[in-house]
């Protein structure tokens, strides 16, 4: 499992693609196929190993950002004109906020157009929370700035130094200020009722259905809602319920071609005491 993830990252770097997104989608595919082809002990070992590596990597990321924040060489170039650095940093923060809004609000509007149930639509306050929570920049921005404006971490050009220090300022401001205000903003815009049960425990709630493509114990959308799901049979069904329709045909393709070859829940031998077997017995 580790070699498969590393191979996907190396292939992405070879073709100058995004290694982060490649590893992310590799994890989605591995959770659907590879996870069911290993033994119970391998699952436990892999889960704890990945969790430990993730924790260690997170420490090094923030350590990297903190060390670059005190890059004295770059700050000396802009010490004689702090106003320019502040102006560039302000423009970058404004562009980040505008770019984030240009994605969140139009996409939320288009998503709401496809939702028939008002309770499933994304409210304006929720859109504001989504917009605000995604404004924080981090180590990726730092790495891209150093890769673009420096050579082996060093530069002698004042303009490049300004871009580096402005990126550091944006990362620090967005992480500290936006990060600290995210939780109070959520409490202010989306207050939680004091005495309410979880939506997942209410079978009549529209939010209680597990997302089909990312479901936990359910193997398909049909398993989650039973016979209430109507199989689509025309282009009208695709237009009215696109998520259900695409998921239905994807499951047919997955069950007939993908999982018989690559494995998956229901296509690999059951290991006694494994989570797969227990979930099957619980359904029965």
């Amino acid at each position: 499992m580790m070699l498969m993830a590393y191979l996907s990252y190396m292939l992405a770097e070879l073709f100058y693609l995004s290694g982060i997104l490649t590893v992310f989608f590799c994890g989605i595919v591995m959770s659907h196929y590879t996870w069911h082809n290993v033994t119970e002990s391998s699952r436990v070992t892999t889960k704890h190993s990945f969790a430990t590596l993730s924790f260690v990597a997170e420490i090094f990321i923030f350590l990297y950002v903190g060390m670059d924040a005190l890059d004295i060489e770059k700050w000396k170039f802009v010490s004689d004109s702090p106003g320019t650095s502040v102006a560039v940093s302000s423009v970058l923060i404004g562009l980040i906020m505008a770019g984030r809004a240009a994605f969140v609000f139009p996409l939320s509007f288009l998503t709401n157009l496809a939702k028939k149930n008002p309770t499933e639509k994304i409210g304006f306050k929720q859109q504001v929370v989504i917009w605000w929570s995604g404004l924080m920049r981090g180590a990726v921005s730092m790495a891209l700035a150093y890769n673009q404006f420096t050579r082996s971490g060093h530069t002698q050009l004042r303009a490049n130094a300004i871009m580096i220090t402005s990126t550091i300022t944006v990362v620090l401001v967005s992480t500290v200020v936006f990060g600290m205000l995210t939780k109070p903003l959520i409490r202010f815009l989306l207050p939680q009722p004091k005495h309410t049960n979880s939506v997942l425990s209410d079978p009549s709630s529209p939010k209680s259905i597990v997302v089909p493509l990312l479901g936990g114990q359910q193997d398909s959308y049909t398993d989650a809602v039973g016979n209430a799901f109507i199989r689509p049979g025309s282009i009208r069904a695709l237009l009215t319920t696109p998520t259900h329709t695409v998921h239905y045909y994807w499951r047919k393709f997955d069950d007939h071609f993908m999982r018989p070859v690559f494995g998956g829940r229901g296509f690999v031998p059951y290991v006694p005491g494994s989570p797969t077997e227990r979930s099957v017995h619980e359904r029965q």
Side-chain angles (χ1 to χ4, degrees), residues 3-58:
L3 289 177
M4 185 178 296
Y6 186 66
L7 176 63
S8 65
Y9 176 80
M10 294 303 297
L11 289 176
E13 289 294 321
L14 181 64
F15 292 101
Y16 299 98
L17 301 175
S18 175
I20 296 176
L21 292 178
T22 303
V23 174
F24 174 73
F25 282 99
C26 179
I28 295 178
V29 175
M30 289 172 63
S31 67
H32 190 65
Y33 300 109
T34 314
W35 186 255
H36 303 284
N37 289 279
V38 297
T39 62
E40 175 69 10
S41 59
S42 298
R43 295 177 187 176
V44 174
T45 303
T46 303
K47 180 180 179 180
H48 289 283
S49 299
F50 283 175
T52 304
L53 292 175
S54 174
F55 181 75
V56 174
E58 187 177 1

Side-chain angles (χ1 to χ4, degrees), residues 121-137:
K121 295 185 177 181
I122 304 176
F124 179 75
K125 293 182 178 180
Q126 294 174 327
Q127 297 177 27
V128 172
V129 171
I130 296 173
W131 167 73
W132 182 269
S133 302
L135 293 175
M136 289 175 285
R137 304 297 95 185

Side-chain angles (χ1 to χ4, degrees), residues 15 33 41-42 50 65 76 116 123 142 145 148 157 165 169 172 181 183 185 203 209 231 247 251 273 275 282:
F15 292 101
Y33 300 109
S41 59
S42 298
F50 283 175
V65 173
K76 287 182 179 179
K116 301 298 182 180
M142 299 281 290
Q148 180 68 26
L157 299 178
T165 54
T169 303
L172 293 179
L181 295 179
K183 191 172 183 179
L185 180 67
I209 299 176
R231 296 182 178 181
H247 180 255
R251 277 298 180 183
E282 288 174 0

Side-chain angles (χ1 to χ4, degrees), residues 96-252:
I96 291 173
M97 299 177 71
R100 179 74 178 175
F103 276 93
V104 172
F105 295 107
L107 290 179
S108 299
F109 175 75
L110 295 177
T111 301
N112 291 336
L113 292 179
K115 299 292 184 180
K116 301 298 182 180
N117 194 339
T119 58
E120 296 180 355
K121 295 185 177 181
I122 304 176
F124 179 75
K125 293 182 178 180
Q126 294 174 327
Q127 297 177 27
V128 172
V129 171
I130 296 173
W131 167 73
W132 182 269
S133 302
L135 293 175
M136 289 175 285
R137 304 297 95 185
V140 176
S141 301
M142 299 281 290
L144 292 175
Y146 271 85
N147 183 68
Q148 180 68 26
F149 299 109
T150 64
R151 178 174 297 178
S152 300
H154 302 279
T155 181
Q156 298 296 328
L157 299 178
R158 183 172 174 271
N160 291 346
I162 290 178
M163 294 304 300
I164 294 293
T165 54
S166 299
T167 304
I168 294 174
T169 303
V170 169
V171 169
L172 293 179
V173 170
S174 63
T175 303
V176 176
V177 178
F178 294 161
M180 291 179 60
L181 295 179
T182 297
K183 191 172 183 179
L185 180 67
I186 294 176
R187 290 178 176 177
F188 175 74
L189 294 179
L190 304 174
Q192 296 293 332
K194 295 182 178 180
H195 303 286
T196 56
N197 296 326
S198 176
V199 294
L200 295 177
S201 61
D202 185 9
S204 62
S205 174
K207 300 293 184 181
S208 63
I209 299 176
V210 181
V211 178
L213 295 179
L214 301 177
Q217 298 297 331
Q218 286 83 0
D219 194 34
S220 66
Y221 188 81
T222 308
D223 298 333
V225 299
N227 296 327
F229 177 60
I230 303 176
R231 296 182 178 181
S234 63
I235 190 65
R236 180 178 298 178
L238 178 61
L239 297 177
T240 56
T241 56
T243 304
H244 303 167
T245 307
V246 173
H247 180 255
Y248 169 72
Y249 285 110
W250 157 251
R251 277 298 180 183
K252 289 186 62 176

